Amino acid sequence: MAEKNFYVTTPIFYPNANLHLGHAYVTTLTDVIARYHRLVGDTTYFLTGSDENTQKILSAAADAGVTPQQFLDDKVEGFENLFKQLNISYDQFIRTSDEKVHWPGAVALWKKLDAAGDLYKKQYEGLYCVGHEAFITEKDLVDGACPDHGTAPERIQEENYFFKLSKYTQTIKTKIESGELCIIPESRRHEILSLLAEGLQDVSFSRPRTPMSVGIPVPGDTTQVMYVWCDALSNYITALGYGQDETLYKTFWPANVHIIGKDILRFHAAMWPAMLLSAGEPLPKSILVHAMILSGGRKMSKTLGNIIDPQELLQEYGTDAVRYFLARHISPFEDGDITREHFKDAYNADLANGLGNLVARIMQLAQTHLSAPVELEYKPFPKEYTDAFERFEINKAADHVWGRIQALDQKITEMAPFKVVKEDEEKGRGIIIELVVELACIDQMLEPIMPQTSKKIIDAIMTNKKPENLFPRKE
Ligand code: ME8
C-alpha cells in the first residue's frame, strides 16, 4: 500500500453560532479519510479550525451581551467539545484570530501578491452581504434581501485594495481541465469551468479599518484590513508555518485534498488557486466538494429553525452511530434530507440488527467453543474498499463493509456451526475460527468509520469474549 505524506483540511468554521449537523458532516467525512490514510501508513496531517475575523461576530457578541473575544472563545470551546465527542482526530485547530500562528503567514502571502503587482487600490461601490462575507449583485436579491440569509445587503462605497483575479482565469482553467487541480465530483468541475469560461472579475481584497472593524491589518497601510476570505483561505498554509518556520509547509504542502461544501466552491477553486499562483506557490492537488444536508427539504438555517443539533443525536445514539450515519447514509455528492426517523431506522437495521448482532453471534460461539483466542494474520484491504477511499467515496467504502457483514451473517445461517459443533466438534470449531477471521477483516475496515467500536470488537476477538451489547435496539 502507498505510503506518503497526506494533508487534508476542512473549511474553517464561522464561530458566530454553534455548529450544526452540516458542519459535523464535513468534519466527520474528513476524519474518516484522515484515519484511513493513517491506517494505510501515510504520514497524515489533518487541519481544521475557526474563521474568526468576520463582521458576523460583532453583532452576535452584542446580541449575547459579551465582548467579541469572550464570544469567540466560548464558541470555539463548543467546536472543540463537539469534535471531541465525534472523536475527530485533527492534528491542528487553527484560529484566524491567532496573531502568532496565523497572522504572520497571512501577511507574508499578502506581500507576495503585492510584489507580483496583483494588488491595486480602487474606489468601489457594491452590495455587501455580511452573511456571505462577499459582495453580491442586484440580480441575486429576492425582495431586496439575500435569499440565503434573509437580510438586506449593505450598500458600500469605499476605497479598497483589489486583487487581479481576472489575470489568472485562463491558467486556473487549464489546470482544472488537465486534472492538475482535480475538482471532485465531475458536476462541480463543470460548474467551476463554466464560471471560468465567463471570466473572473477582480475582487475587493480589503476593507477600510474602523474602530469597530475586525481583521488583519494590511501590511504598509494602516487604513485597511484584509478581506476575510483572503485571510481565511490562507489558513491552509499559515497553519503549516508559511512565512515563519516552514518545516511543516515543506513536508505537507501542496494539500492532497481540501474538503469543502458546494457553497464555497468558487472561493476554493478560483480565488484560492489564483492567490497561490500569484505568490508562486503550488496548488492543492484536489478539492472534494460535498453536497448539502437538508432538513425538511430546506437548507438548514437558524432563521428557518430547522437545524439538527449533532449533540442531540450524540446523546441518544453515541459517537460511532452518528459517525456511521454520516459516513454511509449521507450522499457526499447529492443534497439529501435527513430526518430523525431515517436515523433511527438505519441504527436499528444496520447497527443493532446488523453489526451488533453479528458480533454477538460470532463471539458467543467463539467464547463457548474455542479454548483460546483465534490467531490472526494480516490481510491487505480489498480493492473495492481502497478504491472507494481513493475516490473519497466513503459511503461506498461503508457499503462494501456492510455487504461483508450481510454475507457473514448469511454464512453463519448456512454453515450452522452451532449444530455442526455438536456432531463434529473439530469441524464446528474450524467454521467458528473462519467466522472470527472474517470478523477481524471486517473490523479492520471499520476502523476509520467507527474507531471505538472497532477497538471493542478487536479486544473481544483477542480475549475470546463476547462483548457487551454494542448497539441496543431503539424503540
Ligand atoms: O463558509 N450541509 O464557514 P461556515 C452540509 N468560514 N454541510 C454544511 C451545511 C449543510 N447544510 N452547512 C454548512 C464558511 N456545511 C467559511 C469557510 S474556509 C477557508 C472558510 C459545511 O461556518 C460545508 O462544508 O459557513 C460548508 O462549506 C461549511 O460547513 C461552511 O461553514
Side-chain angles (χ1 to χ4, degrees), residues 10-16 19-23 25-26 51 56 229 232-236 259-264 268 290-294 299-300:
T10 69
I12 50 171
F13 305 106
Y14 289 129
N16 59 320
L19 298 183
H20 60 58
L21 200 67
H23 305 113
Y25 173 68
V26 64
D51 189 356
K56 298 172 202 256
W229 271 100
L233 288 162
S234 68
N235 93 88
Y236 299 128
I259 304 186
I260 57 160
K262 66 176 189 180
D263 54 335
I264 52 177
H268 284 79
H290 71 81
M292 291 289 122
I293 303 179
L294 308 177
K299 192 178 164 189
M300 267 183 270

Side-chain angles (χ1 to χ4, degrees), residues 141-435:
L141 305 181
V142 175
D143 297 332
C146 161
D148 289 342
H149 298 96
T151 47
E154 282 173 60
R155 182 165 291 280
I156 282 174
Q157 196 178 17
E158 58 192 28
E159 192 177 48
N160 295 336
Y161 283 97
F162 266 66
F163 172 55
K164 289 187 188 167
L165 186 57
S166 57
K167 175 174 160 189
Y168 294 99
T169 307
Q170 197 47 46
T171 317
I172 297 171
K173 194 161 168 272
T174 311
K175 289 191 187 276
I176 293 178
E177 277 166 349
S178 71
E180 198 180 325
L181 171 56
C182 185
I183 311 290
I184 306 162
E186 197 55 26
S187 55
R188 298 293 158 215
R189 180 172 173 268
H190 283 305
E191 181 182 326
I192 197 70
L193 284 173
S194 17
L195 190 84
L196 290 163
E198 285 169 21
L200 300 171
Q201 306 277 319
D202 290 356
V203 50
S204 158
F205 244 35
S206 72
R207 306 286 315 271
R209 192 176 186 182
T210 67
M212 281 309 286
S213 64
V214 287
I216 307 177
V218 164
D221 187 342
T222 49
T223 68
Q224 299 269 322
V225 291
M226 288 180 200
Y227 170 48
V228 64
W229 271 100
C230 154
D231 147 1
L233 288 162
S234 68
N235 93 88
Y236 299 128
I237 60 175
T238 63
L240 301 179
Y242 177 78
Q244 304 196 72
D245 173 355
E246 295 196 342
T247 318
L248 280 174
Y249 184 68
K250 293 208 169 84
T251 311
F252 288 106
W253 191 258
N256 295 73
V257 57
H258 290 316
I259 304 186
I260 57 160
K262 66 176 189 180
D263 54 335
I264 52 177
L265 172 64
R266 68 193 170 99
F267 295 105
H268 284 79
M271 190 185 284
W272 179 226
M275 289 165 70
L276 290 164
L277 287 168
S278 169
E281 301 296 336
L283 302 193
K285 291 182 187 153
S286 51
I287 302 176
L288 176 64
V289 190
H290 71 81
M292 291 289 122
I293 303 179
L294 308 177
S295 167
R298 313 273 307 261
K299 192 178 164 189
M300 267 183 270
S301 97
K302 252 185 141 180
T303 25
L304 290 173
N306 61 349
I307 297 232
I308 297 187
D309 182 354
Q311 300 285 359
E312 251 179 65
L313 295 173
L314 281 163
Q315 262 148 38
E316 189 169 354
Y317 293 93
T319 302
D320 276 1
V322 175
R323 291 177 62 98
Y324 165 75
F325 187 85
L326 295 177
R328 180 147 184 244
H329 288 279
I330 301 286
S331 158
F333 304 138
E334 271 165 50
D335 287 358
D337 219 314
I338 155 168
T339 61
R340 287 178 179 79
E341 291 71 43
H342 181 194
F343 196 101
K344 188 165 101 184
D345 291 347
Y347 174 89
N348 280 331
D350 309 335
L351 298 182
N353 297 349
L355 178 63
N357 185 46
L358 178 78
V359 173
R361 283 176 93 186
I362 295 178
M363 291 316 298
Q364 178 67 56
L365 284 165
Q367 181 179 305
T368 316
H369 300 289
L370 305 180
S371 53
V374 172
E375 277 180 33
L376 301 171
E377 266 175 47
Y378 170 76
K379 281 198 187 160
F381 286 131
K383 193 166 168 341
E384 218 180 314
Y385 176 83
T386 52
D387 281 355
F389 265 110
E390 295 307 324
R391 292 191 309 268
F392 306 115
E393 289 179 355
I394 63 168
N395 57 335
K396 298 274 164 58
D399 284 347
H400 174 78
V401 181
W402 260 261
R404 300 269 289 251
I405 289 174
Q406 262 184 347
L408 191 56
D409 230 5
Q410 188 73 24
K411 188 168 171 179
I412 306 178
T413 311
E414 279 163 14
M415 298 186 98
F418 35 88
K419 271 196 211 143
V420 177
V421 82
K422 286 183 198 145
E423 292 146 20
D424 179 343
E425 207 177 342
E426 249 344 87
K427 192 168 167 205
R429 281 199 189 128
I431 299 173
I432 296 170
I433 291 172
E434 260 179 55
L435 298 176

